[in-house]
Amino acid sequence: MDYLYIKSLHIIFITTWFAGLFYIIRLFIYYKEAEEKPELEKNILLKQYKLMIKRLWYIITWPSAVLASTFAVWLLILQPGWLQQNWMLIKLGFVAALYAYHWSCQLLYNQIEKGYLNYSSFALRIWNEVATIILFSCVFLVVLKTSFGWIFGVLGIVGVSILLMLGVKLYKNIRAKKSWDNN
């Protein structure tokens, strides 16, 4: 029974961690776009986004990452045999990639704390999809637990990634034609 509680808590904190990672990049995009606004509007928006980013990062995203990892280690202690299975080793590779992604978001956060952001909103939109790819990979691995199924999952991820990139490009073109900020 303890296993099911630990697993549930792990899933909950994975969900909140990804929610934080998805939303933090969205706030970075808003921050970057606010830099192009008229001075009065720019100052108000940058201050507000900076506050929202700080709260999201330190109240939701970081604690969720720590708790998700804590419960993951606890699950591995309860089920040490998983470490002998290929799907788990591949998943742990994706978890390492997720931590690298998280750290890159920390570096972006650090830039904002210093009052600048060196990436375009388009580059940030593309970067936001990396977390999606990691999420898809981990879910396919955990649910399918087979190398063969994982290959189909990865092919699906590549297909979804291409569709996401095309969607981002389409959104950029639509946005360039019609300013959504005026509605």
Side-chain angles (χ1 to χ4, degrees), residues 5 21 33 40 47 53 59 69 78 81 99 126 140 148 151 168 176 179:
Y5 284 112
L21 289 173
E33 291 175 350
L40 179 61
K47 182 179 178 183
I53 289 166
I59 296 172
S69 299
L78 293 174
Y99 268 103
I126 298 296
F140 276 113
F148 186 69
I151 291 168
V168 167
S179 176

Side-chain angles (χ1 to χ4, degrees), residues 16 23 52 80 82 100 155 172 182:
T16 58
Y23 191 45
M52 292 169 69
W82 284 351
L155 292 175
K172 183 180 178 187
N182 295 328

Side-chain angles (χ1 to χ4, degrees), residues 79-146:
Q79 300 288 335
W82 284 351
L83 293 171
Q84 305 302 316
Q85 297 180 21
N86 289 336
W87 69 269
M88 179 55 76
L89 299 176
I90 295 167
K91 181 188 173 224
L92 290 175
F94 280 111
V95 171
L98 182 61
Y99 268 103
Y101 181 84
H102 185 104
W103 183 251
S104 75
C105 291
Q106 179 68 53
L107 296 176
L108 294 171
Y109 172 83
N110 293 346
Q111 285 183 12
I112 288 174
E113 281 296 299
K114 294 175 184 172
Y116 67 94
L117 188 55
N118 281 338
Y119 297 90
S120 69
S121 61
F122 181 73
L124 291 167
R125 281 185 177 84
I126 298 296
W127 188 240
N128 195 37
E129 302 313 326
V130 172
T132 304
I133 293 166
I134 294 170
L135 176 62
F136 270 69
S137 301
C138 290
V139 169
F140 276 113
L141 282 165
V142 170
V143 172
L144 300 175
K145 291 182 176 73
T146 65

Side-chain angles (χ1 to χ4, degrees), residues 158-171:
V158 170
V160 166
S161 299
I162 291 169
L163 289 174
L164 286 171
M165 297 306 163
L166 290 172
V168 167
K169 185 73 172 166
L170 177 64
Y171 171 74

